[in-house]
Amino acid sequence: VRGSLCGCCNIVVLKMKSVIAASLVASAAGFASLKRVTRSTTLNAFEDELGAQPPLGFFDPIGLVSDGDQEKFDRLRYVEIKHGRICQLGFLGQIVTRAGIHLPGDIDFSGDSFDSYPNGIAALFGPDAIPSAGLLQIAAFIGFLELAVMKDITGGEFVGDFRNDYIDFGWDSLDEEAKLQKRAIELNNGRAAQLGLLGLMVHEKLNEIDMVADLPIIGALS
């Protein structure tokens, strides 16, 4: 009898362990499913945003907006657009100055002309850079633009709209499809310019180890 009771107890214990294990597995599966659904919902929140296009679609490899925070996304988009605009101007400046086109006159009272200084980042840093006073003037001008001009004051139509009810250039006459197309073009051109300007900076540093690059449009970086 004692052996039978022990055997029954063992069976009951085994059944209880099996039930507990099954419950834990079910719970874990439930949480995993919830996590997958949450992740999918987060991605779906931005997959139709402007700039999410083939072949990558919505691309966020390090999860900057994995929490689905719209305010954070808008802030990052604002920064992306602004950096893109700056880099487009910077890349255009590289093309213009390396083509031999410079401002007329002198950059200082000592009689140093604008074209007497090197192109690219060497004009700002290095032995042949512009005077410190000139660099400070550039920084002050950029600060003024940042604080007083290049910002949304009146509440723009979209993130990065700095018209402030003043500059239009026919924007309001466009239909919604044309507006989206032009915004997408600006966004993509800004992304390309950021990569392009970074590439030029890298090639300029390669020149220091005698690896001179002869690039299309830009020419040889010297």
Side-chain angles (χ1 to χ4, degrees), residues 39 42 46 58 60 62-69 72-73 76:
R39 175 65 175 169
T42 300
F46 301 118
F58 176 66
D60 184 21
I62 59 176
L64 292 176
V65 290
S66 59
D67 56 358
D69 188 337
K72 183 193 295 184
F73 177 88
L76 293 173

Side-chain angles (χ1 to χ4, degrees), residues 16 30 39 43 59 79 106 113 160 173 187:
M16 290 179 64
R39 175 65 175 169
L43 291 176
F59 187 63
V79 172
D106 300 328
S113 61
S173 63
L187 189 61

Side-chain angles (χ1 to χ4, degrees), residues 152-157 161-168 172:
D152 184 1
I153 300 174
T154 60
E157 183 179 330
D161 182 4
F162 296 156
R163 292 176 299 154
N164 294 315
D165 299 330
Y166 178 69
I167 301 174
D168 183 67
D172 289 333

Side-chain angles (χ1 to χ4, degrees), residues 103-130:
L103 293 174
D106 300 328
I107 196 173
D108 56 24
F109 293 115
S110 301
D112 298 315
S113 61
F114 283 94
D115 59 4
S116 65
Y117 289 93
N119 298 311
I121 198 171
L124 300 178
F125 307 102
D128 299 321
I130 62 176

Side-chain angles (χ1 to χ4, degrees), residues 9-36:
C9 289
N10 289 333
I11 293 173
V12 171
V13 170
L14 286 174
K15 287 185 176 180
M16 290 179 64
K17 288 182 177 180
S18 299
V19 171
I20 293 173
S23 300
L24 291 175
V25 170
S27 299
F31 282 116
S33 177
L34 178 60
K35 186 175 181 179
R36 286 195 296 270

